[in-house]
Amino acid sequence: MPISKEKFSNLITEISGRNDLLELRHDYIQWLFPNYFRSMFNPDSCPLTTEEAKLFRNCRELAMLQIQAYKLMYAFFGLLLDTQTGAVSRADDYEIRMNATLVPDGHNRLRIWRILTNMHNVGFASFAFQLVDFLTVAASELDFRSQEPFTSRLATYGRYASREQRLQNYCLVEEETDLETSVVLKGEYERGMIR
């Protein structure tokens, strides 16, 4: 496992609600959102294996820990996550948090790509699609600097005509979609575009 259930839970507890720590620390994101490739930014983290990805899908306890990690990062970005449906909404501090985290071009946008890739890899693709839909609207509403690269990469996730089609296609070819998404994003990892 990239991280044990106990360490995963302890890490969430340690950094939960500590936006200053979430902003300044760079070693937690790879552990909470494992992906199929070794991180270029944290050599101590381990890549996710396909067997481990299946564990996240089949173990309720692991899935619930992963959802806690999503909620933690959503709060960091000023977002709320409906853990039943994956729907995204604005938190009370939405504008403050978005202006502090995603409006400036920087490492937090790289974190978004890691989170989205993780969602696909461990069985939460429907959450990823809803986050992309939300961020696409947010990017057009807020004054995102260097917006074009961010919105272009968001469009990578919109390759199906509608969200319903994307979800249907994902469910029909779950594992191929996970691996296909990872292969597409591997080039972004290699260019340092995903943390």
Side-chain angles (χ1 to χ4, degrees):
M1 252 334 259
I3 188 171
S4 72
K5 290 178 198 174
E6 181 182 1
K7 285 183 180 179
F8 198 113
S9 180
N10 289 344
L11 183 55
I12 290 170
T13 301
E14 176 188 341
I15 61 179
S16 187
R18 300 198 47 205
N19 290 336
D20 57 332
L21 188 61
L22 291 170
E23 181 62 44
L24 296 174
R25 217 170 127 181
H26 299 278
D27 63 343
Y28 67 90
I29 200 84
Q30 297 85 3
W31 295 108
L32 292 183
F33 306 101
N35 286 299
Y36 290 128
F37 346 100
R38 183 163 301 285
S39 170
M40 294 171 53
F41 301 94
N42 184 351
D44 295 329
S45 67
C46 300
L48 184 71
T49 67
T50 53
E51 293 79 22
E52 292 163 345
K54 288 178 186 175
L55 279 176
F56 277 95
R57 288 190 192 102
N58 297 320
C59 175
R60 180 171 170 72
E61 186 180 0
L62 265 178
M64 295 308 292
L65 283 171
Q66 190 64 73
I67 288 172
Q68 282 184 295
Y70 296 147
K71 285 180 66 174
L72 168 81
M73 290 308 293
Y74 277 49
F76 175 69
F77 294 120
L79 307 174
L80 297 172
L81 169 66
D82 181 323
T83 59
Q84 298 300 309
T85 66
V88 184
S89 59
R90 296 173 181 207
D92 291 339
D93 60 352
Y94 168 77
E95 286 196 37
I96 294 167
R97 296 302 316 145
M98 287 295 274
N99 282 312
T101 58
L102 287 178
V103 170
D105 192 11
H107 67 272
N108 287 319
R109 291 187 188 183
L110 301 176
R111 291 172 172 177
I112 288 290
W113 308 128
R114 173 166 277 279
I115 293 166
L116 289 169
T117 305
N118 168 268
M119 288 173 166
H120 281 276
N121 293 342
V122 301
F124 290 97
S126 64
F127 283 28
F129 295 133
Q130 293 181 75
L131 180 58
V132 166
D133 290 345
F134 185 92
L135 290 174
T136 300
V137 172
S140 68
E141 292 174 351
L142 296 169
D143 183 24
F144 277 43
R145 286 184 227 127
S146 308
Q147 185 179 13
E148 180 56 35
F150 186 65
T151 55
S152 294
R153 280 189 261 151
L154 285 175
T156 301
Y157 286 87
R159 60 182 177 249
Y160 298 112
S162 69
R163 188 162 51 93
E164 291 75 22
Q165 278 184 303
R166 288 181 285 175
L167 294 175
Q168 181 182 17
N169 287 341
Y170 178 79
C171 292
L172 292 174
V173 290
E174 185 173 25
E175 296 209 12
E176 288 105 352
T177 303
D178 292 340
L179 295 174
E180 176 188 335
T181 300
S182 293
V183 168
V184 165
L185 295 174
K186 188 174 190 320
E188 291 189 359
Y189 269 97
E190 290 169 350
R191 291 190 306 273
M193 297 170 73
I194 302 178
R195 291 246 176 207

